[in-house]
Amino acid sequence: MSAASERPGLRSGHFRLWHNPQVRGVLIQALLLAVVAWFAWEIIDNTITNLRQRHIASGYRFLDSTAGFGIIQTLIPYSEVSSYGRAFIVGLLNTILVAGLSIVLATVIGFIVGIMRLSSNWLIAKIGTAYVEIIRNIPLLLQLFVWYRAVLKAMPAPRQSIAIADAAFLNNRGLYVPYPIFGQGITWVMAAFAGGILLSVLYGTHARRVQERTGRMPPRLAASLGLILGLPLVAAFITGLGVSLDYPVLQGFNFVGGLNVIPEFTALFLGLSIYTAAFIAEIVRAGVQSVSKGQTEAAHALGLHESTTLRLIVLPQALRVIIPPLANQYLNLTKNSSLAVAIGYPDVVATGGTILNQTGQAVEVISLWMAVYLSLSLLTSGFMNWFNARMALKGAPSL
């Protein structure tokens, strides 16, 4: 008989069970799950108790009640007699609008500045460096105040507006531009536009396969532009689509008619785009520098120009490094749009805050906010993961 087997603890079944890694892992996970469930129940029970003590009704029925307040920017029909639910949707659409446009502009600026930082021209490289170091080290909220208070609100009054070709007017109440009014047949034109996008995607897939098979690159850009722009023009010609412009006109103390781009939107759009572009520029610079110099030297040896080497050799490989952190910046930009409430832009947080103050339904409104930002983040992550998978390096074919 060995010395270990003589100890009573080792002969116990419970002792052997605890030293089983699988059983021990299950027990620890069950204990952690129980703690989390207890914590969640305490929060729910405490919330329900507090709501009952303050005689606050729970539920989302308040969304059907009349809102009774106006919103300065609406993408869908809305008035003071609309419901709280419609007001919340208006705020959500405003958030999606400013986040989507800011992502596009931030990406363009970020790629340009990132390439500038790698330029062999001393002045261009230093301008890119100064942009990154200045913009990313100033808090976004302060930048929003600068754009809104020091730039846009400092514009002249409507009567002293800055006229652009006597058609657009810029003042401290925003930019007024002509608004296009389409006649009958716009549905067919929009359908042709959507069809053009679909056909351009299919053609791009076909062109890529041709390039992989033959090494010859079909004219993708010209064909895509022809499909996306040409088909709607043909549809407009066939249907006889008429377009008229509604010009802004100064009446009294302000302009009426036309399309008004409010300064709150412009300040948030510029602030988010310029601030996020500084981080995207660093991501682009790191991605380009991750590509081996041998790739560039080989392209130059083949006689490719510097810009052609960057566009066809370096950037396609750098994108595999750029895309994952780029997705994080898109998520940050979307969440940073909630700072709109500081300058009065009616995003989902601002409209939800007004609803919360009028109804007192704090738990419900906060849950809607969380659901909105969680959904937007998951959709953005899903799209970027799909795009990253398409750009991933394919495995070498088996011999």
Side-chain angles (χ1 to χ4, degrees), residues 8-230:
L10 293 181
R11 290 195 298 270
S12 170
H14 295 292
F15 191 85
R16 290 195 299 269
L17 199 62
W18 177 250
H19 280 78
N20 186 325
Q22 295 182 345
V23 174
R24 189 170 63 244
V26 171
L27 290 177
I28 292 175
Q29 293 179 55
L31 179 61
L32 179 61
L33 182 62
V35 171
V36 172
W38 170 79
F39 185 70
W41 168 249
E42 285 294 325
I43 293 177
I44 295 172
D45 183 61
N46 187 52
T47 303
I48 294 174
T49 303
N50 289 333
L51 290 175
R52 286 176 177 171
Q53 290 177 349
R54 289 165 175 77
H55 305 290
I56 299 176
S58 60
Y60 294 90
R61 290 187 296 274
F62 71 94
L63 293 174
D64 296 328
S65 303
T66 302
F69 62 89
I71 300 177
I72 58 176
Q73 176 180 295
T74 61
L75 298 180
I76 59 175
Y78 173 83
S79 66
E80 287 80 356
V81 297
S82 299
S83 64
Y84 284 123
R86 194 169 187 84
F88 196 87
I89 294 175
V90 169
L92 171 61
L93 293 177
N94 288 339
T95 294
I96 294 175
L97 175 68
V98 73
L101 294 178
S102 299
I103 284 175
V104 174
L105 183 60
T107 304
V108 174
I109 297 176
F111 269 75
I112 293 175
V113 175
I115 299 300
M116 287 173 61
R117 292 207 63 188
L118 299 172
S119 174
S120 57
N121 186 298
W122 183 87
L123 180 59
I124 292 178
K126 293 305 176 186
I127 291 175
T129 302
Y131 176 91
V132 171
E133 296 301 332
I134 292 174
I135 297 298
R136 74 174 179 179
N137 289 312
I138 297 177
L140 174 59
L141 185 59
L142 293 181
Q143 296 189 36
L144 294 180
F145 285 146
V146 169
W147 282 110
Y148 185 61
R149 294 294 181 187
V151 178
L152 298 174
K153 279 300 181 181
M155 291 285 177
R159 289 182 179 274
Q160 292 78 36
S161 298
I162 301 173
I164 304 172
D166 288 334
F169 302 91
L170 181 64
N171 55 55
N172 59 8
R173 297 186 182 180
L175 175 65
Y176 292 83
V177 296
Y179 182 74
I181 300 175
F182 299 100
Q184 294 182 352
I186 184 61
T187 304
W188 289 105
V189 175
M190 295 303 296
F193 180 72
I197 294 176
L198 178 62
L199 289 176
S200 67
V201 172
L202 295 176
Y203 178 77
T205 303
H206 169 72
R208 187 173 62 254
R209 290 175 180 172
V210 170
Q211 183 182 6
E212 292 175 353
R213 188 173 62 252
T214 65
R216 183 178 58 86
M217 181 183 298
R220 297 176 57 180
L221 181 60
S224 298
L225 289 177
L227 289 171
I228 295 174
L229 300 179

Side-chain angles (χ1 to χ4, degrees), residues 242-266:
V243 181
S244 60
L245 295 176
D246 179 21
Y247 288 92
V249 178
L250 181 63
Q251 291 185 1
F253 296 99
N254 202 3
F255 283 88
V256 295
L259 176 65
N260 179 24
V261 183
I262 60 176
E264 291 81 6
F265 169 82
T266 307

